[in-house]
C-alpha cells in the first residue's frame, strides 16, 4: 500500500499594514477550503502568514514591532482557522511571529512555523535558524530586511516528526538556501520538508541577483529534495506588498528534484499534488544511501568552522586543516 498524501501549497498574495489578522484568517480559511475541495490532506501556508512582512521597516519602538507578534498559537484571532481545519479533517503548517516568555521570565521573539495534524493536534513548532539581512537600520537600502534585529535564531535547530503517514520536517525561507538544512533533516529521516517564504525580488547587496530570484528559489529547493531523497513544498507570500515585489513561484518538488506543481499567479492561489512518500526510497536506498556512501570523517570542517578559510600556504592539506 503506497503512502500517498495529498498536499496543497497555499500561496498568499500581499498583506498590507491595514489588513487585520481577521482579514488574513478569512483568506487563509478560503484557501484551506479550496485545498480541501481538491482533496488536500495537508495545507502549507507561507512564512509570517498573518501580517505584512514587517522586517522591511525600521521601528524605534519595540511596542510597534511586538504588535506583529502572536503571544499564543492558536490565539483568539487564529482559532477560527484551527477550528475549520479540524472540522474539515485537514492538517496545515502556518508561519507567524512568535513572542514567548521562558520559565526564567525572559522574552523571546522567533520566526516560527506550527504544524497541525488532521485531527487538530499540534505536531510541532519550528523556529527559523538562518536569519538573513541585517541587525540595524541601513538607510541606504530602498527597504530594510531586519529579521536579525527582530528575531532570535531558533535554539532547537532542525527536527523531524512522524505525521501525515511519514516523517515531516520544517524549514523557513532563508533556511532553504543552506544545504545543511536539508541534510540535517534528511539525516533525521525527513521524507517531506515544508518551507514558507517571503522573498523580496530585489536584493540590495547585489542587484545582479534580482533577475535570478526565481531560478535560485527552485535551484536550492530542488537540490535539497534530490540530494536527500525528500519532497519539498515551498510556499510564498507573494506579490507587490507595501511597495516591494515578493517572489511567488510556490512549488511542490519530488525527491527526483522535479517540480510537480507550481503557482502561476502572485496572489492567493492553491496548487495540489499527490505526494507518494515511498518515492523517497528510490533515492534514499540507492544513490543517496547515506549510511553506505557518506564519509563524515571528511566533513568535520562543516561543523568546526563557520566562515571560510582559504589555504595560508599552498594547500590546506599542509596545515592539516
Ligand atoms: N527572505 C529572503 C530569502 O532568503 C533574501 C532573504 C531576500 C535572500 C532576497 C536573498 C534575496 O528568501 C527571508 N525571509 O529569509
Amino acid at each position: 500500500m503506497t503512502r500517498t498524501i495529498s498536499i496543497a501549497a497555499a500561496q498568499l498574495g500581499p498583506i498590507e499594514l491595514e489588513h487585520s489578522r481577521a482579514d488574513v484568517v478569512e483568506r487563509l480559511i478560503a484557501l484551506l477550503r479550496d485545498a480541501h475541495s481538491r482533496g488536500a490532506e495537508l495545507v502549507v501556508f507561507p512564512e509570517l502568514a498573518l501580517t505584512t512582512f514587517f522586517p522591511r521597516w525600521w521601528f524605534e519602538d519595540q511596542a510597534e514591532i511586538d504588535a506583529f507578534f502572536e503571544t499564543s498559537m492558536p490565539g483568539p484571532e487564529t482559532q477560527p482557522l484551527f477550528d475549520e481545519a479540524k472540522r474539515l479533517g485537514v492538517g496545515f503548517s502556518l508561519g507567524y511571529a512568535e513572542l514567548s516568555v521562558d520559565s526564567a521570565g525572559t522574552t523571546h521573539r522567533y520566526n516560527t512555523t506550527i504544524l497541525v495534524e488532521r485531527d487538530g493536534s499540534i505536531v510541532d513548532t519550528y523556529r527559523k535558524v538562518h536569519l538573513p539581512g541585517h541587525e540595524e537600520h541601513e538607510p541606504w537600502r530602498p527597504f530594510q530586511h531586519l529579521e536579525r534585529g527582530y528575531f532570535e535564531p531558533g535554539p532547537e535547530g532542525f527536527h523531524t516528526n512522524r505525521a501525515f503517514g511519514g516523517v515531516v520536517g520544517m524549514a523557513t525561507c532563508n533556511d532553504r538556501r543552506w544545504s545543511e538544512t536539508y541534510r540535517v533533516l534528511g539525516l533525521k529521516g525527513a521524507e517531506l520538508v515544508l518551507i514558507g517564504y517571503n522573498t523580496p525580488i530585489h536584493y540590495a547587496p547585489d542587484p545582479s541577483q534580482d533577475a535570478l530570484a526565481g531560478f535560485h528559489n527552485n535551484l536550492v529547493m530542488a537540490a535539497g529534495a534530490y540530494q536527500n531523497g525528500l519532497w519539498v513544498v515551498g510556499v510564498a507570500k507573494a506579490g507587490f506588498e507595501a511597495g516591494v515585489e515578493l517572489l511567488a513561484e510556490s512549488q511542490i518538488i519530488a525527491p527526483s528534484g522535479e517540480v510537480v506543481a507550481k503557482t502561476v499567479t502572485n496572489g492567493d492561489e492553491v496548487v495540489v499534488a499527490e505526494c507518494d512518500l515511498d518515492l523517497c526510497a528510490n533515492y534514499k536506498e540507492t544513490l543517496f544511501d547515506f549510511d553506505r556512501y557518506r564519509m563524515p570523517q571528511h566533513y568535520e570542517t562543516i561543523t568546526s568552522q563557520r566562515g571560510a578559510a582559504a589555504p595560508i600556504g599552498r594547500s590546506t592539506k599542509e596545515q592539516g586543516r
Side-chain angles (χ1 to χ4, degrees):
M1 200 268 271
T2 63
R3 292 179 302 132
T4 299
I5 177 99
S6 177
I7 301 178
Q11 175 179 290
L12 273 174
I15 299 177
E16 301 301 349
L17 260 181
E18 58 270 20
H19 289 150
S20 69
R21 279 179 179 69
D23 296 334
V24 176
V25 167
E26 204 173 302
R27 288 167 59 185
L28 294 172
I29 289 175
L31 288 165
L32 187 92
R33 287 173 175 156
D34 178 7
H36 174 256
S37 72
R38 293 156 64 179
E41 300 161 90
L42 167 60
V43 178
V44 183
F45 289 118
E47 170 191 33
L48 296 175
L50 296 171
T51 68
T52 194
F53 186 73
F54 60 91
R56 70 166 64 89
W57 295 300
W58 167 251
F59 293 102
E60 299 276 359
D61 176 7
Q62 188 63 52
E64 265 194 286
I65 299 169
D66 288 352
F68 293 102
F69 283 75
E70 311 304 315
T71 54
S72 64
M73 188 52 68
E77 293 169 303
T78 48
Q79 190 62 54
L81 173 67
F82 284 68
D83 294 346
E84 182 64 357
K86 185 175 182 178
R87 186 182 73 83
L88 295 173
V90 176
F92 66 94
S93 64
L94 177 76
Y96 63 97
E98 173 195 1
L99 190 153
S100 57
V101 181
D102 67 18
S103 51
T106 307
T107 298
H108 299 280
R109 294 173 181 82
Y110 300 113
N111 186 335
T112 299
T113 301
I114 191 167
L115 180 59
V116 182
E117 248 290 11
R118 292 155 289 187
D119 63 359
S121 61
I122 293 176
V123 176
D124 200 357
T125 55
Y126 164 70
R127 291 157 170 165
K128 184 175 182 178
V129 166
H130 295 98
L131 297 175
H134 46 101
E135 293 82 356
E136 298 298 330
H137 188 209
E138 297 186 1
W140 62 271
R141 293 171 179 261
F143 51 87
Q144 304 297 299
H145 200 109
L146 283 157
E147 290 191 62
R148 297 177 70 84
Y150 295 161
F151 300 114
E152 290 172 53
E156 302 103 345
F158 305 105
H159 30 275
T160 54
N161 300 276
R162 289 195 180 282
F164 300 96
V167 179
V168 186
M170 291 181 275
T172 306
C173 205
N174 196 252
D175 287 328
R176 77 190 189 284
R177 298 182 192 275
W178 300 93
S179 58
E180 293 88 341
T181 300
Y182 304 95
R183 182 62 89 212
V184 169
L185 288 171
L187 285 166
K188 293 184 177 186
E191 297 171 307
L192 172 60
V193 176
L194 313 178
I195 307 176
Y197 59 87
N198 285 227
T199 298
I201 288 177
H202 178 57
Y203 184 57
D206 176 14
S208 76
Q209 297 182 31
D210 298 9
L212 297 168
F215 169 71
H216 287 155
N217 183 50
N218 170 257
L219 176 69
V220 293
M221 294 195 289
Y226 167 62
Q227 290 174 331
N228 297 280
L230 42 80
W231 289 86
V232 172
V233 184
V235 184
K237 162 101 83 48
F240 201 69
E241 182 180 90
V244 176
E245 188 66 36
L246 297 176
L247 178 69
E249 303 197 23
S250 303
Q251 51 200 271
I252 301 175
I253 300 171
S256 61
E258 294 166 296
V259 176
V260 297
K262 186 175 176 182
T263 54
V264 293
T265 72
N266 60 4
D268 290 13
E269 180 181 350
V270 169
V271 290
V272 178
E274 285 293 311
C275 302
D276 177 359
L277 299 181
D278 287 336
L279 268 184
C280 299
N282 291 11
Y283 293 85
K284 289 180 187 286
E285 293 176 7
T286 60
L287 257 178
F288 296 111
D289 177 346
F290 286 171
D291 193 38
R292 182 171 183 191
Y293 296 116
R294 287 187 71 246
M295 300 289 283
Q297 64 271 33
H298 296 300
Y299 304 161
E300 59 86 25
T301 307
I302 291 176
T303 54
S304 62
Q305 268 178 237
R306 181 159 71 185
I312 297 159
R314 183 191 172 94
S315 158
T316 50
K317 211 186 239 182
E318 285 159 3
Q319 288 118 37
R321 286 172 26 150

